[in-house]
Amino acid sequence: MKILVVAGMLLLGIGTHAAGGDVPDVLQALVAAGLKNNLGLQIQKLQIAQQKEQSLAESAQFDSVIHGGMGFERSATPYESASGFSGNLDSNVVDNQVGVSKRLSVGTELNALLSSQWVDDNDFSNDLNHRYRTSLVLEINQPLLKGLGRAANMSALNISRNQERQESLNYLLLVQDYLLQLESSFWQFVYRQEQVALRSKSLRLAQELLAGNHKKHTAGLVAVTEVQEAETAVADRELSLSQALQQRDVQREVLGRLINSEIPENRQFLGIVDPGAPPDVTELPPLVEMLTAAFERRLEFKISDYDIANVRLRTAARKNALQPQLDLNLKGGIMGLAGDDRGTIAGSRYQGGFGDALGDMSEADGYQWRIGLTFSMPFEQREGKARLNQSRQQLRQARYRREDLALQVRAELAEQAIQVERAREQLDIAERFAELARISLDQEARRLQEGLSNTFRMISFQEKMVEAELGQIQALVNYYQSLAQLTYARGNTFSRYQLVMVDDAEELSFENL
């Protein structure tokens, strides 16, 4: 099915160039197929999904937690009173509790706990048996130094989110690298096909020369050596054609591997480069202008900025971790009581069941509150200081890497601008060379008809003409490849292929594919 889809797209791309002017329609079709089928890109896209899950996992530290428990306890405690009573205090206790805790991004820890207790004992100092006790307690722990603030508590989450953005940028950077590789492979395949066509043309010329020499030898006009010379040329050009076919077929497989599909064997890209209609030549902007635009567009700079931001976040968190632990603890609660009256004191106001204990709690009949501070500080903090110094060194490294990247991009732009300029120059030279070679071959052919030349010279002029035409095709291919590389260096790859990226919160894609 993939073969049919790609073949259909290739057959649709029958025009010479797309609307953009620089990219042939057939290459645009290959790009569309490759972005959908290439497994390397799909693998990298999954990295984005994994990092999104990692960010989600980091954010879970601020999720609310429901906790609870229940238990049963039986005890018999030996006891002797001042009045002379002795024996065991027996008790059966069932306790239940349920609570909710949450950690806030500023470091505050909240805990709300609702608990109940059912007691059955033989302690007659308590007028109630069975007894129900309920309580609702709220605890707040607020860091005042270490662990205070969003920067200290959200550093891991913010770093993970930055890494998520980096993975998206890494995917787009991989797409740009892939597009450059795909276009280079495409032009190499175009060249190999043109090479096969010219080698076939060269073989036909040698075969025509051999046929003519056979006729002349039969008529007694040339020696047998002329025939043998032409036969040698035919054999040599058959070998060259076989080698050209081998190179073309290998390059077809390379191109097919890039789009994860097969290129139909009968699909010809001949005429994509037209020596008779060289591409329009436009002046390049000044290097400073291209460099300024590249700083804004190149994805490597955006990735580097996130590297620096992540190290800064890590440095701030480690600096905060060196502070003493000073926490403010607040606790407040209300309690309620109810139970069965033993009759020791008639008419107990706490007579009732579990629901009455809850009602008594709501009236805040019993309460508790506490305020306090907790403090701790390691003496040396060698690990924390080492980690902080490590982060500071990493920050310097990240900044140096960005500066080095700027130098690399500048050198790359200068180099690619030179490549384009020289490729333009070589286009003109190759065109003149090919035209002169064709003229020379025509003149030598007329000399041969007039008996003023020989097979050796004719073969030599044919080979020069074919090599000149191959050189012209190679110059055109080199120019297109240089343009693609310069476009990449300027950060304009997506606009070159008229690709618009969209992010639907699920995955990155290109809306016009």
Side-chain angles (χ1 to χ4, degrees), residues 97 110 153 183 187 191 268 309 329:
Q97 60 182 10
L110 305 175
N153 292 278
E183 179 164 354
W187 288 121
Y191 172 74
Q268 297 294 321
N329 314 120

Side-chain angles (χ1 to χ4, degrees), residues 217-231:
H217 176 64
T218 301
L221 300 176
V222 296
V224 70
T225 54
E226 295 290 310
V227 175
Q228 293 171 342
E229 188 109 35
E231 288 177 341

Side-chain angles (χ1 to χ4, degrees), residues 251-411:
Q251 191 61 40
R252 177 190 286 112
E253 294 301 319
V254 172
L255 184 59
R257 174 67 181 88
L258 285 174
I259 63 172
N260 194 27
S261 187
E262 293 184 17
I263 305 295
E265 291 188 6
N266 61 349
R267 182 65 178 102
Q268 297 294 321
F269 294 160
L270 299 176
I272 297 296
V273 288
D274 184 2
D280 294 333
V281 175
T282 57
E283 291 298 324
L284 295 177
L287 180 60
V288 174
E289 183 178 330
M290 289 193 294
L291 186 60
T292 301
F295 285 161
E296 298 177 359
R297 296 171 184 162
R298 288 285 291 261
L299 299 177
E300 296 95 321
F301 288 109
K302 301 180 188 300
I303 294 172
S304 178
D305 289 340
Y306 280 120
D307 282 334
I308 294 174
N310 285 344
V311 177
R312 283 175 173 166
L313 288 170
R314 196 175 296 115
T315 301
R318 289 176 175 177
K319 185 176 181 180
N320 176 267
L322 288 176
Q323 297 190 72
Q325 186 80 46
L326 179 63
D327 294 353
L328 173 65
N329 314 120
L330 301 174
K331 182 178 181 180
I334 52 177
M335 293 173 285
L337 175 66
D340 298 333
D341 189 357
R342 292 181 190 268
T344 307
I345 301 175
S348 172
R349 62 178 291 241
Y350 294 108
Q351 176 73 30
F354 175 70
D356 298 295
L358 287 175
D360 186 59
M361 181 188 69
S362 65
E363 297 174 3
D365 198 22
Y367 67 89
Q368 62 172 319
W369 64 269
R370 180 182 180 278
I371 182 170
L373 294 172
T374 56
F375 176 82
S376 67
M377 182 179 69
F379 280 113
E380 297 183 64
Q381 301 220 53
R382 289 188 298 171
E383 180 182 359
K385 291 177 182 178
R387 298 294 185 192
L388 178 59
N389 289 333
Q390 184 183 47
S391 293
R392 287 170 174 167
Q393 292 163 3
Q394 290 171 346
L395 182 58
R396 293 177 63 188
Q397 279 184 318
R399 287 170 174 167
Y400 286 149
R401 288 192 188 99
R402 197 183 193 286
E403 292 176 8
D404 185 57
L405 176 62
L407 294 175
Q408 291 178 20
V409 170
R410 186 189 185 285

Side-chain angles (χ1 to χ4, degrees), residues 16-237:
T16 303
H17 291 87
D22 293 328
V23 180
D25 292 343
V26 66
L27 176 55
Q28 198 78 20
L30 288 172
V31 165
L35 291 179
K36 292 179 180 178
N37 298 337
N38 185 269
L39 295 180
L41 297 180
Q42 303 306 317
I43 291 170
Q44 181 62 35
K45 188 181 288 188
L46 288 176
Q47 284 294 117
I48 303 174
Q50 291 182 47
Q51 190 57 49
K52 284 183 177 180
E53 297 301 325
Q54 180 63 32
S55 298
L56 184 61
E58 290 290 349
S59 65
Q61 62 182 304
F62 303 112
D63 288 351
S64 300
V65 178
I66 299 176
H67 52 89
M70 62 182 302
F72 172 78
E73 178 183 348
R74 177 173 177 77
S75 66
T77 305
Y79 174 78
E80 185 174 41
S81 68
S83 63
F85 170 80
S86 64
N88 288 338
L89 291 178
D90 298 326
S91 68
N92 297 313
V93 180
V94 176
D95 59 80
N96 302 276
Q97 60 182 10
V98 62
V100 179
S101 60
K102 183 174 179 61
R103 180 167 175 251
L104 303 182
S105 60
V106 293
T108 307
E109 293 182 1
L110 305 175
N111 184 40
L113 182 66
L114 175 64
S115 62
S116 66
Q117 189 180 64
W118 174 85
V119 180
D120 176 24
D121 60 18
N122 61 352
D123 182 4
F124 288 93
S125 65
N126 286 302
D127 188 45
L128 299 177
N129 189 58
H130 305 88
R131 296 189 302 277
Y132 299 92
R133 291 190 181 275
T134 60
S135 62
L136 177 62
V137 178
L138 177 63
E139 296 177 307
I140 301 175
N141 187 75
Q142 176 61 56
L144 301 179
L145 294 175
K146 182 179 179 180
L148 174 64
R150 293 173 60 86
N153 292 278
M154 293 191 65
S155 60
L157 177 57
N158 289 332
I159 288 173
S160 183
R161 287 172 175 170
N162 285 345
Q163 289 172 341
E164 181 182 332
R165 299 182 185 101
Q166 281 184 305
E167 288 297 344
S168 297
L169 292 172
N170 284 330
Y171 168 72
L172 295 177
L173 183 60
L174 183 63
V175 170
Q176 289 186 348
D177 292 337
Y178 169 76
L179 292 175
L180 184 61
Q181 183 182 4
L182 179 61
E183 179 164 354
S184 176
S185 181
F186 166 77
W187 288 121
Q188 286 300 313
F189 184 51
V190 168
Y191 172 74
R192 293 306 179 189
Q193 286 198 328
E194 294 285 353
Q195 184 183 38
V196 168
L198 287 172
R199 290 302 181 195
S200 298
K201 174 182 176 181
S202 175
L203 177 59
R204 287 194 302 273
L205 291 174
Q207 290 171 338
E208 291 170 0
L209 182 61
L210 176 60
N213 283 354
H214 270 302
K215 291 180 180 179
K216 292 179 181 178
H217 176 64
T218 301
L221 300 176
V222 296
V224 70
T225 54
E226 295 290 310
V227 175
Q228 293 171 342
E229 188 109 35
E231 288 177 341
T232 302
V234 168
D236 178 59
R237 293 178 187 181

Side-chain angles (χ1 to χ4, degrees), residues 237 433-434 437 459-469:
R237 293 178 187 181
F433 180 35
I459 290 172
S460 176
F461 277 91
Q462 287 177 355
E463 290 177 346
K464 286 181 180 179
M465 187 271 293
V466 171
E467 292 300 324
E469 291 185 341

